[in-house]
Amino acid sequence: MSGAMRIFVSIVAIVVVALGIGVWIIRGPGPMDFSGGTKVALADYRAGKPTGVPASLEKASLVARGEYLAKAADCMVCHTAPGGKEYAGGLGFKLPFGTLYSTNITPDRETGIGNYSDQDFLNAVQRGTRHDGARLYPAMPYASYTYMTDDDALAIKAYLFSLAPVRVKAPENTLSFPFNQRWAMMFWSAVFNPDTRFAPDSSKSPDWNRGAYLVEALAHCGECHTPRNLAFALDNRKKFAGAVTAGWRAYNISSDKATGLGNWSDEDLAAYLSLGHAPGHGSASGPMGEAVDHSFSQFPPEDIRAIVAYLRSVPAVASPDLPAGMVPPAPVSHKDGVTADARGKKVFEAACVSCHGWSGQSPVSPMATLTGDWAVNDPAATNVAQVVLSGTKRHTPSDALSMPAFGNAYSDDEIAAVANYVTARFGTKGSKLTAKDVAELRQQTAE
C-alpha cells in the first residue's frame, strides 16, 4: 500500500470513528439504560410476564386483548379529529415548521390500513415504515412502540380490524422544506429508533418490569415528559424532566422530591393516574387529562401499581424553573392576599371565582381546587392559559367536573391578565404573560 493510500485510509477511519462518536453523543442512552441491571430475552425471563395484558384478560379473545392494549397505547386520542370518527385520523399537530395530520387507522382499504398485512403493521408500529414503503414522521411514536412485542402489536391490529371501516382521507401535511422530505426520516430512524423489543431486567421486580413495559413501550410517557435534543429525539440524559408539547407543559415525573414525583405518596400517584386528580397535587387537564380518560383510567389496579413502581426508580432530575414547594390556600376574602393584576382579578371574579373560590379551595369540587396544582405553581403559566383558552373536558370519574373554554369570550390580553393573577394569588410566583404569549399558545394547540 502506497503512502498516499495509507493516509487516505487513515483519514477515512478517523472520519468514521468521529461520526460514530458523534452519533453516540447525539443519541444518548436508551430509555431504560438508567436501571443498570442485566437485560435478558423475554423468553428467558422467569419471574412473570411483563408484556401483554393483565392476568384478568389472559384468556380473553385476541380482539379483547387488542382493545386493552390499544387503550394502553392511547391510539384513539391521536388518531381522532375533533368531531370525527374514532381512529379515522385527521387530528392536526401544529409544529414550528407546519402542521402534521394523523392518519386513518380504521380497516378501510382505500384511506385506512385495510390492506396492511401483519408484517406491514409491525413495520409501521415498530419501525416507522408505511405499507407503501414511505417513512412515518416520529409524531407517530414508533421509537417508543419499537419496544412493543410482535404479539401485542398484532393484537392491536386485530382490534383495529374488528372496527367498522371509515373512508376518510387525512388532510395533506403542510410541513415546510426540508421537513416535508419523508425519505430523510430513514436517517433519523437509523440513529434514534433502536428497532428492538422489550428486554426485562432480571435484577428488578416483576412489578418494575411490567411498569417499564407499560410506561416505555405502550403508554410512551417519555414522548411528552422527556425533553428533546436538536434532532427532535428524546434526550434521556434528562429523562422525564418535563417538556412543552403541542402548547401544553408535561411536568417533571422523575423521582426529584422538589419538582418531580418524589414527594408524592404511592396512593396520590395512583389516584392521579386512575382518576386524574390527587388531593394537594391538582387535576389533570389537556393531553394528560385525555390520557387519563382514555387510557390510564382503563388500567386495573395491578398495572397502575406497576407504573408507580417503575416511576419511583427513574433518577431524579430537577426542573430549576419550578418552585421547590407549594403555598397554602389564599385568604378567603378577595380583599386580602395578592392582587397583582387588577384586570386579571376582574376576569377571575366574573368567570372563575364561583367554581374556584377566592382561596383556591373550590366550593364545588376537589377537582377545581387550585391550591397545590402544578399548573398554578408554574411561573410560565403555560397550562393555566391553555385551560382558560380550551377548557377541560374530563370524563373520569363519572362525576368529573369539566371547565368550559373561555378562548372565544376573552381577548388574549384578558387571558394573560387572569393567568398572571391566578399564578400570583394561588401559586408561589406570579407569571408575566403578555397578549403575544397567549396568541402564540393559541397557535400551538392541536387542531
Side-chain angles (χ1 to χ4, degrees), residues 227 238 240-243 249 251-252 254 256 258-260 316-325 377-380 428-429:
K238 301 176 182 177
F240 291 171
R249 181 164 185 170
Y251 288 102
N252 188 330
S254 77
D256 184 63
T259 59
V317 182
S319 296
D321 60 328
L322 294 178
N377 285 275
D378 178 2
T428 55
K429 181 181 179 181

PDB file of all heavy atoms in Angstrom, residues 227 238 240-243 249 251-252 254 256 258-260 316-325 377-380 428-429:
ATOM      1  N   PRO A 227     -37.510  15.906  27.614  1.00  0.00           N
ATOM      2  CA  PRO A 227     -37.078  16.941  26.660  1.00  0.00           C
ATOM      3  C   PRO A 227     -36.471  16.306  25.413  1.00  0.00           C
ATOM      4  O   PRO A 227     -36.026  15.155  25.427  1.00  0.00           O
ATOM      5  CB  PRO A 227     -36.018  17.724  27.441  1.00  0.00           C
ATOM      6  CG  PRO A 227     -36.260  17.403  28.878  1.00  0.00           C
ATOM      7  CD  PRO A 227     -36.811  16.005  28.901  1.00  0.00           C
ATOM      8  N   LYS A 238     -31.945  13.615  30.364  1.00  0.00           N
ATOM      9  CA  LYS A 238     -32.864  14.387  31.198  1.00  0.00           C
ATOM     10  C   LYS A 238     -34.214  13.673  31.265  1.00  0.00           C
ATOM     11  O   LYS A 238     -35.268  14.287  31.180  1.00  0.00           O
ATOM     12  CB  LYS A 238     -33.040  15.798  30.633  1.00  0.00           C
ATOM     13  CG  LYS A 238     -31.751  16.583  30.525  1.00  0.00           C
ATOM     14  CD  LYS A 238     -31.983  17.929  29.858  1.00  0.00           C
ATOM     15  CE  LYS A 238     -30.684  18.700  29.694  1.00  0.00           C
ATOM     16  NZ  LYS A 238     -30.904  19.991  28.973  1.00  0.00           N
ATOM     17  N   PHE A 240     -37.627  12.237  31.722  1.00  0.00           N
ATOM     18  CA  PHE A 240     -38.848  12.605  32.456  1.00  0.00           C
ATOM     19  C   PHE A 240     -38.738  13.943  33.183  1.00  0.00           C
ATOM     20  O   PHE A 240     -39.471  14.206  34.137  1.00  0.00           O
ATOM     21  CB  PHE A 240     -39.245  11.504  33.444  1.00  0.00           C
ATOM     22  CG  PHE A 240     -39.736  10.241  32.790  1.00  0.00           C
ATOM     23  CD1 PHE A 240     -39.955   9.096  33.544  1.00  0.00           C
ATOM     24  CD2 PHE A 240     -39.990  10.181  31.433  1.00  0.00           C
ATOM     25  CE1 PHE A 240     -40.424   7.922  32.954  1.00  0.00           C
ATOM     26  CE2 PHE A 240     -40.457   9.018  30.832  1.00  0.00           C
ATOM     27  CZ  PHE A 240     -40.672   7.889  31.588  1.00  0.00           C
ATOM     28  N   ALA A 241     -37.841  14.814  32.717  1.00  0.00           N
ATOM     29  CA  ALA A 241     -37.668  16.122  33.360  1.00  0.00           C
ATOM     30  C   ALA A 241     -38.731  17.130  32.941  1.00  0.00           C
ATOM     31  O   ALA A 241     -38.762  18.241  33.463  1.00  0.00           O
ATOM     32  CB  ALA A 241     -36.283  16.683  33.044  1.00  0.00           C
ATOM     33  N   GLY A 242     -39.617  16.736  32.021  1.00  0.00           N
ATOM     34  CA  GLY A 242     -40.685  17.629  31.596  1.00  0.00           C
ATOM     35  C   GLY A 242     -40.356  18.336  30.294  1.00  0.00           C
ATOM     36  O   GLY A 242     -39.195  18.558  29.954  1.00  0.00           O
ATOM     37  N   ALA A 243     -41.392  18.693  29.550  1.00  0.00           N
ATOM     38  CA  ALA A 243     -41.217  19.367  28.259  1.00  0.00           C
ATOM     39  C   ALA A 243     -42.535  20.000  27.848  1.00  0.00           C
ATOM     40  O   ALA A 243     -43.599  19.634  28.355  1.00  0.00           O
ATOM     41  CB  ALA A 243     -40.750  18.369  27.193  1.00  0.00           C
ATOM     42  N   ARG A 249     -47.573  22.053  28.804  1.00  0.00           N
ATOM     43  CA  ARG A 249     -46.397  21.588  29.523  1.00  0.00           C
ATOM     44  C   ARG A 249     -46.689  20.265  30.202  1.00  0.00           C
ATOM     45  O   ARG A 249     -47.641  20.148  30.975  1.00  0.00           O
ATOM     46  CB  ARG A 249     -45.944  22.603  30.574  1.00  0.00           C
ATOM     47  CG  ARG A 249     -44.690  22.154  31.319  1.00  0.00           C
ATOM     48  CD  ARG A 249     -44.022  23.266  32.068  1.00  0.00           C
ATOM     49  NE  ARG A 249     -42.767  22.818  32.678  1.00  0.00           N
ATOM     50  CZ  ARG A 249     -41.873  23.604  33.242  1.00  0.00           C
ATOM     51  NH1 ARG A 249     -42.103  24.915  33.285  1.00  0.00           N
ATOM     52  NH2 ARG A 249     -40.767  23.120  33.759  1.00  0.00           N
ATOM     53  N   TYR A 251     -45.271  17.919  32.902  1.00  0.00           N
ATOM     54  CA  TYR A 251     -44.394  18.226  34.019  1.00  0.00           C
ATOM     55  C   TYR A 251     -43.415  17.103  34.335  1.00  0.00           C
ATOM     56  O   TYR A 251     -43.497  15.993  33.789  1.00  0.00           O
ATOM     57  CB  TYR A 251     -45.228  18.604  35.250  1.00  0.00           C
ATOM     58  CG  TYR A 251     -45.857  19.961  35.090  1.00  0.00           C
ATOM     59  CD1 TYR A 251     -47.199  20.092  34.746  1.00  0.00           C
ATOM     60  CD2 TYR A 251     -45.095  21.120  35.228  1.00  0.00           C
ATOM     61  CE1 TYR A 251     -47.773  21.346  34.563  1.00  0.00           C
ATOM     62  CE2 TYR A 251     -45.659  22.377  35.052  1.00  0.00           C
ATOM     63  CZ  TYR A 251     -46.994  22.484  34.715  1.00  0.00           C
ATOM     64  OH  TYR A 251     -47.559  23.719  34.519  1.00  0.00           O
ATOM     65  N   ASN A 252     -42.488  17.429  35.199  1.00  0.00           N
ATOM     66  CA  ASN A 252     -41.430  16.530  35.632  1.00  0.00           C
ATOM     67  C   ASN A 252     -42.032  15.326  36.365  1.00  0.00           C
ATOM     68  O   ASN A 252     -42.723  15.493  37.366  1.00  0.00           O
ATOM     69  CB  ASN A 252     -40.494  17.312  36.566  1.00  0.00           C
ATOM     70  CG  ASN A 252     -39.238  16.551  36.951  1.00  0.00           C
ATOM     71  OD1 ASN A 252     -39.226  15.328  37.035  1.00  0.00           O
ATOM     72  ND2 ASN A 252     -38.170  17.295  37.208  1.00  0.00           N
ATOM     73  N   SER A 254     -39.899  12.609  37.074  1.00  0.00           N
ATOM     74  CA  SER A 254     -38.784  11.854  37.646  1.00  0.00           C
ATOM     75  C   SER A 254     -38.989  11.774  39.158  1.00  0.00           C
ATOM     76  O   SER A 254     -39.961  12.306  39.701  1.00  0.00           O
ATOM     77  CB  SER A 254     -37.447  12.540  37.322  1.00  0.00           C
ATOM     78  OG  SER A 254     -37.251  13.683  38.156  1.00  0.00           O
ATOM     79  N   ASP A 256     -37.441  13.309  41.424  1.00  0.00           N
ATOM     80  CA  ASP A 256     -36.995  14.504  42.133  1.00  0.00           C
ATOM     81  C   ASP A 256     -38.037  14.917  43.178  1.00  0.00           C
ATOM     82  O   ASP A 256     -39.217  15.023  42.884  1.00  0.00           O
ATOM     83  CB  ASP A 256     -36.781  15.647  41.141  1.00  0.00           C
ATOM     84  CG  ASP A 256     -36.229  16.888  41.808  1.00  0.00           C
ATOM     85  OD1 ASP A 256     -35.112  16.829  42.330  1.00  0.00           O
ATOM     86  OD2 ASP A 256     -36.937  17.912  41.824  1.00  0.00           O
ATOM     87  N   ALA A 258     -38.337  17.777  44.887  1.00  0.00           N
ATOM     88  CA  ALA A 258     -38.786  19.166  44.868  1.00  0.00           C
ATOM     89  C   ALA A 258     -39.692  19.469  43.688  1.00  0.00           C
ATOM     90  O   ALA A 258     -40.750  20.095  43.842  1.00  0.00           O
ATOM     91  CB  ALA A 258     -37.583  20.108  44.862  1.00  0.00           C
ATOM     92  N   THR A 259     -39.313  19.018  42.491  1.00  0.00           N
ATOM     93  CA  THR A 259     -40.064  19.403  41.291  1.00  0.00           C
ATOM     94  C   THR A 259     -40.599  18.216  40.499  1.00  0.00           C
ATOM     95  O   THR A 259     -41.150  18.387  39.415  1.00  0.00           O
ATOM     96  CB  THR A 259     -39.173  20.259  40.376  1.00  0.00           C
ATOM     97  OG1 THR A 259     -37.996  19.514  40.005  1.00  0.00           O
ATOM     98  CG2 THR A 259     -38.764  21.544  41.070  1.00  0.00           C
ATOM     99  N   GLY A 260     -40.433  17.001  41.021  1.00  0.00           N
ATOM    100  CA  GLY A 260     -40.943  15.806  40.358  1.00  0.00           C
ATOM    101  C   GLY A 260     -41.965  15.087  41.213  1.00  0.00           C
ATOM    102  O   GLY A 260     -42.776  15.711  41.894  1.00  0.00           O
ATOM    103  N   ALA A 316     -33.692  11.133  39.742  1.00  0.00           N
ATOM    104  CA  ALA A 316     -34.184  12.490  39.933  1.00  0.00           C
ATOM    105  C   ALA A 316     -33.484  13.461  38.987  1.00  0.00           C
ATOM    106  O   ALA A 316     -32.267  13.447  38.848  1.00  0.00           O
ATOM    107  CB  ALA A 316     -33.953  12.924  41.380  1.00  0.00           C
ATOM    108  N   VAL A 317     -34.277  14.269  38.330  1.00  0.00           N
ATOM    109  CA  VAL A 317     -33.778  15.364  37.504  1.00  0.00           C
ATOM    110  C   VAL A 317     -34.555  16.600  37.915  1.00  0.00           C
ATOM    111  O   VAL A 317     -35.786  16.615  37.857  1.00  0.00           O
ATOM    112  CB  VAL A 317     -33.976  15.095  35.993  1.00  0.00           C
ATOM    113  CG1 VAL A 317     -33.406  16.247  35.177  1.00  0.00           C
ATOM    114  CG2 VAL A 317     -33.346  13.772  35.588  1.00  0.00           C
ATOM    115  N   ALA A 318     -33.870  17.641  38.329  1.00  0.00           N
ATOM    116  CA  ALA A 318     -34.540  18.839  38.819  1.00  0.00           C
ATOM    117  C   ALA A 318     -35.012  19.719  37.665  1.00  0.00           C
ATOM    118  O   ALA A 318     -34.397  19.760  36.598  1.00  0.00           O
ATOM    119  CB  ALA A 318     -33.608  19.629  39.720  1.00  0.00           C
ATOM    120  N   SER A 319     -36.116  20.406  37.883  1.00  0.00           N
ATOM    121  CA  SER A 319     -36.611  21.426  36.957  1.00  0.00           C
ATOM    122  C   SER A 319     -36.357  22.778  37.624  1.00  0.00           C
ATOM    123  O   SER A 319     -37.150  23.218  38.460  1.00  0.00           O
ATOM    124  CB  SER A 319     -38.105  21.236  36.683  1.00  0.00           C
ATOM    125  OG  SER A 319     -38.346  20.008  36.040  1.00  0.00           O
ATOM    126  N   PRO A 320     -35.267  23.451  37.291  1.00  0.00           N
ATOM    127  CA  PRO A 320     -34.885  24.666  38.025  1.00  0.00           C
ATOM    128  C   PRO A 320     -35.855  25.823  37.879  1.00  0.00           C
ATOM    129  O   PRO A 320     -35.832  26.753  38.691  1.00  0.00           O
ATOM    130  CB  PRO A 320     -33.508  25.015  37.425  1.00  0.00           C
ATOM    131  CG  PRO A 320     -33.475  24.321  36.099  1.00  0.00           C
ATOM    132  CD  PRO A 320     -34.281  23.084  36.258  1.00  0.00           C
ATOM    133  N   ASP A 321     -36.729  25.768  36.875  1.00  0.00           N
ATOM    134  CA  ASP A 321     -37.680  26.873  36.692  1.00  0.00           C
ATOM    135  C   ASP A 321     -38.963  26.674  37.483  1.00  0.00           C
ATOM    136  O   ASP A 321     -39.855  27.530  37.446  1.00  0.00           O
ATOM    137  CB  ASP A 321     -38.020  27.044  35.213  1.00  0.00           C
ATOM    138  CG  ASP A 321     -38.646  25.799  34.604  1.00  0.00           C
ATOM    139  OD1 ASP A 321     -38.300  24.680  35.038  1.00  0.00           O
ATOM    140  OD2 ASP A 321     -39.496  25.934  33.703  1.00  0.00           O
ATOM    141  N   LEU A 322     -39.078  25.556  38.200  1.00  0.00           N
ATOM    142  CA  LEU A 322     -40.271  25.299  39.006  1.00  0.00           C
ATOM    143  C   LEU A 322     -39.958  25.486  40.487  1.00  0.00           C
ATOM    144  O   LEU A 322     -38.829  25.243  40.925  1.00  0.00           O
ATOM    145  CB  LEU A 322     -40.794  23.875  38.762  1.00  0.00           C
ATOM    146  CG  LEU A 322     -41.337  23.580  37.376  1.00  0.00           C
ATOM    147  CD1 LEU A 322     -41.767  22.118  37.290  1.00  0.00           C
ATOM    148  CD2 LEU A 322     -42.512  24.490  37.029  1.00  0.00           C
ATOM    149  N   PRO A 323     -40.947  25.889  41.284  1.00  0.00           N
ATOM    150  CA  PRO A 323     -40.715  26.092  42.715  1.00  0.00           C
ATOM    151  C   PRO A 323     -40.499  24.772  43.439  1.00  0.00           C
ATOM    152  O   PRO A 323     -41.004  23.730  43.026  1.00  0.00           O
ATOM    153  CB  PRO A 323     -42.000  26.777  43.188  1.00  0.00           C
ATOM    154  CG  PRO A 323     -43.045  26.299  42.222  1.00  0.00           C
ATOM    155  CD  PRO A 323     -42.335  26.198  40.897  1.00  0.00           C
ATOM    156  N   ALA A 324     -39.752  24.841  44.532  1.00  0.00           N
ATOM    157  CA  ALA A 324     -39.460  23.630  45.305  1.00  0.00           C
ATOM    158  C   ALA A 324     -40.587  23.266  46.258  1.00  0.00           C
ATOM    159  O   ALA A 324     -40.601  22.179  46.812  1.00  0.00           O
ATOM    160  CB  ALA A 324     -38.168  23.810  46.086  1.00  0.00           C
ATOM    161  N   GLY A 325     -41.543  24.143  46.444  1.00  0.00           N
ATOM    162  CA  GLY A 325     -42.659  23.856  47.343  1.00  0.00           C
ATOM    163  C   GLY A 325     -43.907  24.584  46.902  1.00  0.00           C
ATOM    164  O   GLY A 325     -43.873  25.408  45.987  1.00  0.00           O
ATOM    165  N   ASN A 377     -48.606  26.699  39.980  1.00  0.00           N
ATOM    166  CA  ASN A 377     -47.295  26.985  40.572  1.00  0.00           C
ATOM    167  C   ASN A 377     -46.177  27.036  39.534  1.00  0.00           C
ATOM    168  O   ASN A 377     -45.007  27.096  39.898  1.00  0.00           O
ATOM    169  CB  ASN A 377     -46.975  25.942  41.640  1.00  0.00           C
ATOM    170  CG  ASN A 377     -47.759  26.168  42.918  1.00  0.00           C
ATOM    171  OD1 ASN A 377     -47.351  26.952  43.774  1.00  0.00           O
ATOM    172  ND2 ASN A 377     -48.910  25.515  43.037  1.00  0.00           N
ATOM    173  N   ASP A 378     -46.536  27.024  38.271  1.00  0.00           N
ATOM    174  CA  ASP A 378     -45.570  27.151  37.185  1.00  0.00           C
ATOM    175  C   ASP A 378     -45.488  28.613  36.772  1.00  0.00           C
ATOM    176  O   ASP A 378     -46.450  29.164  36.226  1.00  0.00           O
ATOM    177  CB  ASP A 378     -46.021  26.283  36.004  1.00  0.00           C
ATOM    178  CG  ASP A 378     -45.090  26.389  34.802  1.00  0.00           C
ATOM    179  OD1 ASP A 378     -44.063  27.102  34.892  1.00  0.00           O
ATOM    180  OD2 ASP A 378     -45.396  25.773  33.763  1.00  0.00           O
ATOM    181  N   PRO A 379     -44.365  29.288  37.016  1.00  0.00           N
ATOM    182  CA  PRO A 379     -44.271  30.711  36.689  1.00  0.00           C
ATOM    183  C   PRO A 379     -44.450  31.027  35.210  1.00  0.00           C
ATOM    184  O   PRO A 379     -44.711  32.177  34.854  1.00  0.00           O
ATOM    185  CB  PRO A 379     -42.852  31.085  37.159  1.00  0.00           C
ATOM    186  CG  PRO A 379     -42.488  30.051  38.161  1.00  0.00           C
ATOM    187  CD  PRO A 379     -43.161  28.793  37.700  1.00  0.00           C
ATOM    188  N   ALA A 380     -44.328  30.026  34.357  1.00  0.00           N
ATOM    189  CA  ALA A 380     -44.566  30.253  32.928  1.00  0.00           C
ATOM    190  C   ALA A 380     -46.054  30.340  32.609  1.00  0.00           C
ATOM    191  O   ALA A 380     -46.440  30.915  31.592  1.00  0.00           O
ATOM    192  CB  ALA A 380     -43.929  29.134  32.104  1.00  0.00           C
ATOM    193  N   THR A 428     -46.690  30.131  43.784  1.00  0.00           N
ATOM    194  CA  THR A 428     -45.534  30.638  44.508  1.00  0.00           C
ATOM    195  C   THR A 428     -44.942  31.892  43.877  1.00  0.00           C
ATOM    196  O   THR A 428     -44.246  32.660  44.539  1.00  0.00           O
ATOM    197  CB  THR A 428     -44.428  29.567  44.561  1.00  0.00           C
ATOM    198  OG1 THR A 428     -44.127  29.155  43.224  1.00  0.00           O
ATOM    199  CG2 THR A 428     -44.877  28.363  45.366  1.00  0.00           C
ATOM    200  N   LYS A 429     -45.219  32.091  42.597  1.00  0.00           N
ATOM    201  CA  LYS A 429     -44.649  33.242  41.900  1.00  0.00           C
ATOM    202  C   LYS A 429     -45.542  33.607  40.724  1.00  0.00           C
ATOM    203  O   LYS A 429     -45.889  32.749  39.916  1.00  0.00           O
ATOM    204  CB  LYS A 429     -43.233  32.919  41.406  1.00  0.00           C
ATOM    205  CG  LYS A 429     -42.546  34.064  40.691  1.00  0.00           C
ATOM    206  CD  LYS A 429     -41.158  33.641  40.220  1.00  0.00           C
ATOM    207  CE  LYS A 429     -40.463  34.767  39.467  1.00  0.00           C
ATOM    208  NZ  LYS A 429     -39.128  34.353  38.980  1.00  0.00           N
TER     209      LYS A 429
END
